[in-house]
């Protein structure tokens, strides 16, 4: 994951650019361990910011898009 950004920002940014990604592809894009990325995605899902699809696929929700905008503007 990018050292300067919190994991949630990195994951949400990747999902914002690529609407649906498998956790392994998402981990590759953000440069993180798949288990850590899956954990971050699960936490974001509990918060309603991402949606878990079948077989490890994740997508960003409208709430996730709003949260990402907030995170980016408060850097």
């Amino acid at each position: 994951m990018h050292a300067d950004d919190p994991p949630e920002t990195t994951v949400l940014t990747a999902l914002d650019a690529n609407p649906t990604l498998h956790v392994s592809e998402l981990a590759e894009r953000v440069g993180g361990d798949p288990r850590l990325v899956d954990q971050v995605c699960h936490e974001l899902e509990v918060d309603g910011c991402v949606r878990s699809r079948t077989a490890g696929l994740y997508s960003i929700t409208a709430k996730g898009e709003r949260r990402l905008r907030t995170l980016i503007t408060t850097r």
Side-chain angles (χ1 to χ4, degrees):
M1 303 241 188
H2 300 222
D4 296 342
D5 290 329
E8 70 176 322
T9 303
T10 304
V11 168
L12 288 172
T13 299
L15 288 172
D16 191 45
N18 306 279
T20 302
L21 289 173
H22 187 271
V23 69
S24 61
E25 186 177 4
L26 182 56
E28 185 177 314
R29 288 178 188 243
V30 302
D33 180 270
R35 291 171 296 186
L36 174 60
V37 171
D38 195 43
Q39 179 182 350
V40 171
C41 286
H42 176 73
E43 292 167 5
L44 288 167
E45 182 182 16
V46 169
D47 290 342
C49 294
V50 301
R51 182 177 310 118
S52 176
R53 308 244 180 212
T54 58
L57 293 173
Y58 288 98
S59 61
I60 193 167
T61 64
K63 182 177 180 179
E65 291 171 350
R66 288 190 302 274
R67 185 167 180 175
L68 177 60
R69 303 300 173 256
T70 300
L71 291 167
I72 290 171
T73 59
T74 59
R75 282 186 180 170

